[in-house]
């Protein structure tokens, strides 16, 4: 494979996630760029990534990216906040193609937030990562952040069966902290979570 193979515009765009969460991004991409072709890869055998170590996640991210590069993608979207935090830097060092990552949408959420109390619902691994901590340091120093990692909600989405009473109760109990803390804006810092939130606009990461 030559170094400049990805300049061929007819090639597909590759994206991956630990599971089906990244499909929320694929949906948005298809609306924005309907003429492109896409390859979507889900690492369901190893999902959820959230409770795993950074080393393990980085190893899986490299394996997923390598698979996509072998399929000849012209660009790659790491459709997973957790994977981005663990290894997007390494990916950019290894592969010559454009690589786009995800991060919890603190910046637009801060603009939307009125009471300076912001909620962040993400995975444990994202919340513990250096990348996220640096982001907070950079943009959210003046806010009161209420953070929660939820592997339960990721697992619920992966079952595909989240529109029933039992699921509603789990969602409510996982979100109870945010209510208690009276946040006025919530960042969905995991690509699985927009599935819970049907919204008219295409921007899915930060909600009010
Ligand atoms: N969808 C992923 C994210 O955006 C992670 C879910 C998981 O595997 O824990 O962080």
């Amino acid at each position: 494979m030559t170094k400049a193979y990805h300049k061929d515009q007819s090639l597909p765009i590759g994206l991956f996630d630990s599971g089906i969460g990244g499909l929320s991004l694929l949906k948005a991409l298809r609306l924005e760029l309907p003429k492109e072709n896409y390859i979507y890869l889900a690492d369901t055998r190893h999902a959820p990534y959230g409770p795993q170590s950074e080393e393990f996640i980085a190893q899986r991210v490299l394996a997923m990216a390598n698979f996509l590069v072998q399929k000849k993608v012209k660009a790659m979207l790491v459709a997973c906040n957790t994977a981005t935090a663990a290894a997007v830097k390494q990916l950019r060092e290894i592969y010559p193609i454009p690589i786009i990552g995800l991060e919890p949408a603190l910046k637009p959420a801060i603009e939307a937030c009125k009471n300076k109390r912001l909620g962040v619902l993400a995975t444990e691994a994202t919340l513990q990562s250096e990348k996220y901590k640096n982001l907070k340091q950079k943009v959210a120093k003046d806010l009161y952040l209420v953070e929660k990692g939820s592997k339960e909600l990721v697992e619920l989405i992966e079952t595909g069966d989240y529109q029933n009473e039992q699921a509603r109760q789990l969602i409510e109990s996982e979100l109870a902290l945010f209510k208690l803390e009276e946040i006025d804006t919530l960042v969905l810092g995991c690509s699985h979570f927009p599935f819970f939130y049907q919204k008219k606009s295409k921007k899915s990461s930060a909600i009010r």
Side-chain angles (χ1 to χ4, degrees):
M1 211 176 290
T2 66
K3 216 172 169 198
Y5 83 90
H6 62 284
K7 302 278 181 212
D8 177 354
Q9 285 307 306
S10 67
L11 292 174
I13 295 171
L15 57 163
F16 71 90
D17 179 36
S18 60
I20 61 171
L23 291 175
S24 60
L25 276 297
L26 180 59
K27 195 172 160 201
L29 269 181
R30 279 185 148 150
L31 288 173
E32 286 296 332
L33 305 168
K35 293 203 176 111
E36 296 291 343
N37 291 311
Y38 300 95
I39 300 180
Y40 184 85
L41 196 57
D43 197 8
T44 41
R45 192 165 160 217
H46 299 97
Y49 283 171
Q52 308 281 0
S53 70
E54 189 160 285
E55 292 69 33
F56 178 86
I57 300 165
Q59 196 192 322
R60 290 309 310 153
V61 169
L62 293 180
M64 300 292 276
N66 194 43
F67 182 92
L68 287 174
V69 170
Q70 294 307 317
K71 294 278 170 209
K72 287 200 171 180
V73 292
K74 67 179 172 192
M76 197 184 306
L77 169 63
V78 183
C80 173
N81 296 261
T82 311
T84 302
V88 77
K89 196 161 169 264
Q90 275 166 273
L91 292 186
R92 288 183 178 138
E93 281 162 10
I94 299 172
Y95 299 111
I97 60 175
I99 296 176
I100 296 105
L102 282 191
E103 66 182 14
L106 292 188
K107 293 171 208 162
I110 289 167
E111 276 174 37
C113 184
K114 298 268 187 285
N115 71 355
K116 296 210 168 220
R117 299 173 76 84
L118 189 68
V120 183
L121 181 65
T123 67
E124 273 306 328
T126 298
L127 296 175
Q128 294 308 323
S129 69
E130 274 312 300
K131 198 165 190 308
Y132 174 70
K133 286 180 185 162
N134 290 340
L135 176 69
K136 275 199 303 191
Q137 184 63 21
K138 221 166 43 190
V139 303
K141 271 199 291 205
D142 303 336
L143 275 96
Y144 178 68
L145 288 187
V146 181
E147 297 164 332
K148 177 156 176 63
S150 179
K151 99 172 163 36
E152 288 74 13
L153 290 182
V154 172
E155 285 169 345
L156 178 61
I157 290 290
E158 286 293 315
T159 66
D161 185 17
Y162 50 88
Q163 276 161 342
N164 54 57
E165 181 51 26
Q166 210 183 339
R168 198 193 61 75
Q169 281 176 19
L170 175 63
I171 297 166
E172 206 171 288
S173 84
E174 289 295 282
L175 297 182
L177 173 71
F178 297 120
K179 216 170 174 180
L180 196 74
E181 291 279 9
E182 299 184 336
I183 59 129
D184 79 353
T185 306
L186 178 63
V187 176
L188 300 181
C190 168
S191 57
H192 279 71
F193 300 156
F195 280 101
F196 291 128
Y197 188 77
Q198 311 295 339
K199 145 175 206 256
K200 286 170 204 102
S201 139
K202 276 181 247 159
K203 284 184 198 149
S204 57
S205 294
I207 62 164
R208 278 212 68 206

